[in-house]
Amino acid sequence: MLRTRSARSARTAALLASLTLVALLGLQGLAFAQEIVVYSGRSEALVAPVFERFTQATGIRVVARYGDTAQLAAAILEEGQRSPADLFFAQDAGALGALAAAGRLEVLPSHVLDRVDPRLRSPEGLWVGITARARVIAYNTELVPAEALPQSIWDLLDPRWRGQIGWAPTNGSFQAFVTALRVLEGDDRAEEWLRGMLANQPRSYANNRAIVDAVGRGEILLGLVNHYYLFQLLAQYGEDFPARNHHTRGDAGAIVNVAGVGILDSSRNKEAALRLIEFLLSPETQQYFTNENAEYPVLLGSQVQTNPLLVPLDEIATPEIDLSDLADLEGTLDLLQRTGVL
Amino acid sequence: MRRSSLPPLYFVIPAFLVAAGMLLPVAYLLLRTADAGWETVWRLVWRERTARVLLNTLALAAAVSGASVVLGVPLAWLTTRTDLPGRRFWAVVSVLPLAIPSLVGAFTFVSAWAQGGLVHQLLRQAAGVARMPDLYGFPGAWLVLTLLSYPYVVLPVRGALLGMDPGQEEAARSLGHGTWSVLWRVTLPQLRPAIASGALLVALYTLSDFSAVSLLQFESFTQAIYVQYQATFNRSYAAVLSLILVALTLGLLALEAVARGRGRYYKVSAGTARRQAAVPLGRWKWPAVAFCAFMGLVSVAVPVAVNGYWLVRGLVAGMGVQLDWQALVNSVYASFLAALACVLCALPVAILAVRWPGPVSALIERAGYVGYALPGIVVALSLVFFGVNFARALYQTLALLVFAYVVLFLPQALGAIRASLLQVSPNVENAARSLGLSPWRVAWTVTLPLVRPGLASGAALVFLTAMKELPATLLLSPLGFRTLTTRIWSAVSEAYYIQAAAPALLLILASAISVALLLAGERRSA
């Protein structure tokens, strides 16, 4: 008698538990009906406010996984068709190119693509740039007189800079620059430049941030970086932080790269993801990015005021090159390893 | 030591399951390596550069472990066995560097000591020093990693010193040996397994670290692995290189087995151990305090001061300090679960390895160390692969994250429990058995209470390390789950130093409190 009662109550408990579980799962399904998952290589501080405004405007909730761009890309490739991600927001075009090459990105509609400078998106329409950044040479204003600044990347081979240049060879943006150099001047010249640089004993930093910081401290005189880290550091250290950006003219040292987005082929919320891209490309959001993070807007036309701290894109003599020309990452890595840079 | 019976299944089965879980990353790496094709594998393995970077990395691991032993053993001894003034305070300080993520350690080290850094600014104003010594490369990486990881030696050695029977030392003293002689000839030899397990943890930490070596411009093997992900998004090449790291780990484990020795570390005589008497330091008292203070200064005070500097700058500039309590709660909760899970998984493995030594139990124990030497991203990606394909319901849940922590940090619990277990005489267990208790009951009622110091220090190590874990947390945590360490990382990598300061200080504070609690508990159970 006792046993049957306890067995019955156990069964009742199990039934109750499973009912609760079903109810919870159901509720979850309801609550998240309008939700997209973004894997973001861009930092939470920068993009979370944008996602919030998107949710306010559309009612679509954005859930983000923040991480390192390359590692998120690797995770998406590992996840395959079961990836929970709908949208990938990458810090550089290389990662988007890798996903595109693996056939993991959806073609975007032309009404979105057509808004963006054709140099700053995938020619197949698989990804689109959201903000643009220029390669620059950061220099220490107290230790380098303006007339001594290198006019081209080839001037960096001058022995006067021996041991005084910082670069970040493991960094995607540096590798894009080397790829551009190969495309613009040929593999042989690129190799010559790299070997010349090595003879000048550059210092290999972990990333662009560390380089600009080191330039400001006077540890090095020049650094090959993306333009916007300087503005971040100026905001932190104040205006007397002794580093500024310098643009070379017309060579690979002046290429423009992007942070951009693509929709995953495995996404089940492509409509909603597309709406987020439209929102990211709206003049208001573009204005926010250029104001907050001192990056360049990517829209055609002049609906957005580029941050006044920046040299406008059309005044930088960028070389004639499309981002899609920079797809041969493997060739660049080969070259970097052959020359001993990496 | 030898037993006629085979180990009971309720130790063997869990131990096998744990070992199988620990080997998941290796299975993944073999899978990805197979994708690469043999030609690529050979090309990557037989590059002159691969060999050179590997040797550099090994040299660094040896130097860091050596320095950690030299610093960690005296610290442990001073804070457990002597009349050092402020002993308990220094005990907490000597463990605290564990709370500092290597990203923060390296970033603050550069901010403080590099050319034009905060220390240099002071020296320039005060004494007109124009140049600071160049810290990058091997010396910098060696210094930073030593300062971050010497507590891995301090903790197990503390445990061993506290658990040691003072009888032998007293006997030596009665035979006319002085304090130093006893220390060298009796105490130190008994510390061998603890020192070996601590040094091993330090060496493997060095092998797997990425943040510190890259910020200090030391070309280590993990960098070669990261470059493959970063530059070509080629997971197969990264897998090949990671397998080399696994092979290296196995080599180090063999080395540790030799260093550990085959001695007996428990007492066989009857009678209760007396309380250990504190060694009077005499005129060495103040030099000893200075040593503890110096270590605390360079390893803990500098990171705290640099973050404090940024916090004050932010406050002066009128930016409000945002304390992210949710991140704190998440960090503590996930790390607590990790500590619990690691101890539970380590127990059967350690019991098997110590009480039934043999090739099989040795293999099971070794399997536990593999994940620890691999860069976090490799383990994370392997669990992404297995999680999404074979445990979809668990993917990106706290459960899988905790499992990842177990794969990454099990050896920390394993080493500590093992060292503790070695100090428990099997005779005690045999006596309990002869009185009719089953091995299961013996484990629960006799062994477990006796190895409590080991359980506590193992749990503490895992807790503190999980608090600062980054790559697996980023990839495997539930969506929207943020920890103090992910906050710090995202702020520092975008050069928001001011915004990184509060979570960094909070992380160090939370860890300090848990260390203090733990050491208080250690005293009670010792």
Side-chain angles (χ1 to χ4, degrees):
Chain A
M1 192 57 193
L2 234 158
R3 171 171 293 186
T4 48
R5 188 185 294 164
S6 73
R8 198 181 303 150
S9 57
R11 229 176 298 148
T12 320
L15 191 68
L16 272 177
S18 48
L19 275 177
T20 320
L21 197 68
V22 169
L24 276 176
L25 289 174
L27 278 178
Q28 244 184 357
L30 278 180
F32 296 165
Q34 276 290 59
E35 175 182 282
I36 52 172
V37 176
V38 177
Y39 278 17
S40 174
R42 307 232 61 190
S43 77
E44 183 169 5
L46 183 66
V47 296
V50 176
F51 293 160
E52 264 164 43
R53 252 174 278 153
F54 172 72
T55 306
Q56 280 165 15
T58 61
I60 302 171
R61 221 169 79 118
V62 179
V63 193
R65 171 173 300 287
Y66 298 96
D68 171 81
T69 294
Q71 295 177 13
L72 287 172
I76 290 172
L77 292 171
E78 248 1 304
E79 287 168 345
Q81 290 303 310
R82 293 162 181 249
S83 176
D86 298 303
L87 191 87
F88 180 40
F89 200 158
Q91 186 71 269
D92 57 76
L96 289 164
L99 289 190
R104 293 300 311 279
L105 296 182
E106 205 55 29
V107 178
L108 298 171
S110 56
H111 77 269
V112 168
L113 295 169
D114 290 344
R115 290 199 211 163
V116 175
D117 186 331
R119 287 176 306 173
L120 303 178
R121 56 177 155 89
S122 137
E124 298 87 15
L126 292 169
W127 51 264
V128 60
I130 298 295
T131 56
R133 57 283 300 273
R135 282 302 281 183
V136 296
I137 296 176
Y139 67 100
N140 185 299
T141 49
E142 287 168 2
L143 303 172
V144 184
E147 63 276 10
L149 285 169
Q151 293 311 304
S152 105
I153 54 165
W154 291 90
D155 291 345
L156 295 171
L157 307 191
D158 191 318
R160 72 184 296 174
W161 304 119
R162 181 173 300 248
Q164 302 293 347
I165 303 174
W167 66 6
T170 57
N171 206 271
S173 62
F174 174 81
Q175 288 160 3
F177 151 74
V178 174
T179 314
L181 182 60
R182 291 171 55 216
V183 171
L184 288 169
E185 307 202 26
D187 279 7
D188 292 344
R189 287 279 282 171
E191 184 167 344
E192 187 188 334
W193 186 83
L194 286 171
R195 290 195 190 280
M197 280 296 285
L198 282 180
N200 237 354
Q201 297 164 3
R203 284 166 171 274
S204 297
Y205 286 85
N207 48 47
N208 287 324
R209 173 200 68 72
I211 295 179
V212 184
D213 224 345
V215 168
R217 284 200 309 266
E219 185 171 290
I220 45 174
L221 300 181
L222 306 176
L224 304 181
V225 291
N226 284 342
H227 80 272
Y228 64 95
Y229 289 92
L230 172 68
F231 300 98
Q232 209 47 258
L233 286 171
L234 284 173
Q236 301 272 316
Y237 285 103
E239 282 300 311
D240 51 356
F241 181 67
R244 290 296 181 272
N245 286 337
H246 168 68
H247 298 268
T248 56
R249 302 197 67 79
D251 60 18
I255 58 162
V256 171
N257 211 327
V258 294
V261 295
I263 297 179
L264 293 169
D265 64 335
S266 47
S267 163
R268 263 162 280 155
N269 298 306
K270 286 174 188 148
E271 284 296 309
L274 189 64
R275 288 182 69 185
L276 179 55
I277 297 185
E278 288 167 356
F279 189 79
L280 292 171
L281 289 173
S282 69
E284 298 75 41
T285 312
Q286 291 282 305
Q287 192 67 59
Y288 165 84
F289 279 129
T290 187
N291 291 350
E292 280 301 304
N293 210 40
E295 289 181 85
Y296 291 102
V298 295
L299 298 185
L300 288 170
S302 53
Q303 320 153 54
V304 184
Q305 287 286 315
T306 297
N307 189 322
L309 295 171
L310 303 180
V311 181
L313 262 194
D314 46 23
E315 285 174 28
I316 301 174
T318 55
E320 282 302 311
I321 199 167
D322 281 3
L323 286 179
S324 53
D325 296 333
L326 306 182
D328 184 20
L329 290 170
E330 205 131 348
T332 297
L333 189 65
D334 249 15
L335 179 64
L336 291 175
Q337 291 184 331
R338 200 169 63 237
T339 48
V341 175
L342 268 181
Chain B
M1 196 80 181
R2 198 160 296 128
R3 304 222 171 166
S4 50
S5 63
L6 285 169
L9 282 180
Y10 42 76
F11 291 142
V12 176
I13 293 174
F16 262 106
L17 286 178
V18 170
M22 295 302 115
L23 289 176
L24 281 181
V26 178
Y28 162 83
L29 291 175
L30 289 171
L31 217 68
R32 285 279 163 270
T33 303
D35 290 348
W38 284 113
E39 210 177 309
T40 321
V41 173
W42 288 126
R43 191 170 56 80
L44 281 169
V45 172
W46 293 118
R47 270 214 330 227
E48 171 259 336
R49 194 180 182 79
T50 306
R52 187 160 46 83
V53 174
L54 202 57
L55 284 178
N56 284 346
T57 310
L58 273 177
L60 183 69
V64 173
S65 344
S68 296
V69 169
V70 169
L71 296 170
V73 174
L75 277 173
W77 183 75
L78 284 171
T79 52
T80 50
R81 287 296 189 83
T82 67
D83 61 349
L84 182 79
R87 211 167 74 157
R88 292 195 55 201
F89 172 75
W90 297 120
V92 173
V93 171
S94 71
V95 182
L96 208 49
L98 279 187
I100 298 168
S102 63
L103 169 70
V104 175
F107 162 68
T108 54
F109 182 84
V110 171
S111 306
W113 303 104
Q115 174 74 18
L118 294 173
V119 173
H120 187 204
Q121 286 173 22
L122 291 176
L123 288 176
R124 193 153 44 194
Q125 276 162 16
V129 176
R131 286 210 76 83
M132 293 289 278
D134 192 350
L135 294 166
Y136 291 107
F138 190 93
W142 181 45
L143 269 173
V144 170
L145 283 168
T146 302
L147 292 180
L148 289 172
S149 58
Y150 71 81
Y152 286 124
V153 176
V154 174
L155 267 179
V157 173
R158 275 185 73 84
L161 283 169
L162 289 173
M164 204 180 276
D165 178 3
Q168 288 199 29
E169 293 172 6
E170 284 161 11
R173 215 165 287 135
S174 74
L175 290 170
H177 287 281
T179 304
W180 292 110
S181 176
V182 169
L183 194 62
W184 273 107
R185 301 176 64 165
V186 180
T187 315
L188 265 183
Q190 289 200 69
L191 292 178
R192 256 172 80 166
I195 294 176
S197 82
L200 179 71
L201 289 181
V202 174
L204 298 181
Y205 182 87
T206 306
L207 285 188
S208 66
D209 175 74
F210 176 67
S211 300
V213 288
S214 67
L215 282 174
L216 287 149
Q217 306 181 9
F218 177 80
E219 197 183 351
S220 99
F221 205 70
T222 43
Q223 185 182 311
I225 295 173
Y226 271 77
V227 162
Q228 293 298 339
Y229 288 123
Q230 202 133 30
T232 56
F233 303 90
N234 194 320
R235 290 160 293 143
S236 300
Y237 294 179
V240 176
L241 296 175
S242 303
L243 275 180
I244 299 180
L245 213 51
V246 171
L248 208 61
T249 308
L250 297 179
L252 282 178
L253 287 171
L255 212 63
E256 190 239 12
V258 174
R260 197 190 262 173
R262 292 177 159 273
R264 189 165 53 72
Y265 300 97
Y266 49 84
K267 73 192 184 84
V268 278
S269 59
T272 314
R274 269 191 340 128
R275 267 194 85 82
Q276 297 154 346
V279 175
L281 286 171
R283 62 199 169 90
W284 288 101
K285 187 181 272 183
W286 296 111
V289 170
F291 169 63
C292 294
F294 176 76
M295 289 309 293
L297 185 75
V298 286
S299 61
V300 181
V302 166
V304 169
V306 171
N307 280 302
Y309 165 85
W310 282 112
L311 191 70
V312 170
R313 272 199 84 117
L315 290 174
V316 169
M319 301 185 193
V321 178
Q322 289 183 337
L323 290 180
D324 189 339
W325 297 112
Q326 187 59 48
L328 174 68
V329 169
N330 287 348
S331 283
V332 171
Y333 183 51
S335 309
F336 171 76
L337 291 179
L340 198 67
C342 275
V343 167
L344 285 179
C345 291
L347 257 178
V349 178
I351 291 178
L352 210 61
V354 173
R355 291 293 182 245
W356 287 274
V360 177
S361 59
L363 264 179
I364 289 177
E365 195 200 356
R366 301 284 190 274
Y369 280 81
V370 168
Y372 189 61
L374 285 171
I377 178 64
V378 176
V379 172
L381 282 176
S382 73
L383 294 182
V384 166
F385 173 79
F386 283 110
V388 88
N389 286 312
F390 304 105
R392 191 69 174 88
L394 292 181
Y395 188 56
Q396 298 188 353
T397 62
L398 198 55
L400 191 67
L401 182 64
V402 169
F403 180 66
Y405 289 159
V406 174
V407 174
L408 284 165
F409 306 134
L410 184 76
Q412 300 187 337
L414 201 53
I417 295 174
R418 198 199 136 81
S420 232
L421 209 51
L422 282 171
Q423 291 182 330
V424 176
S425 165
N427 297 342
V428 180
E429 296 171 359
N430 289 341
R433 286 276 283 140
S434 72
L435 292 171
L437 287 188
S438 67
W440 179 252
R441 294 271 297 166
V442 172
W444 274 104
T445 56
V446 178
T447 317
L448 214 55
L450 287 174
V451 295
R452 247 171 52 193
L455 297 180
S457 74
L461 274 170
V462 174
F463 178 83
L464 292 175
T465 317
M467 287 280 279
K468 58 182 186 176
E469 205 284 335
L470 185 63
T473 312
L474 286 176
L475 285 189
L476 293 169
S477 61
L479 280 165
F481 186 88
R482 56 182 195 278
T483 66
L484 290 174
T485 306
T486 63
R487 302 266 338 190
I488 297 166
W489 169 78
S490 93
V492 170
S493 55
E494 292 285 323
Y496 293 111
Y497 302 148
I498 294 173
Q499 290 83 342
L505 290 172
L506 208 54
L507 177 67
I508 296 173
L509 186 69
S511 305
I513 293 172
S514 23
V515 170
L517 284 176
L518 175 95
L519 294 185
E522 182 188 62
R523 216 168 45 145
R524 263 199 307 279
S525 56

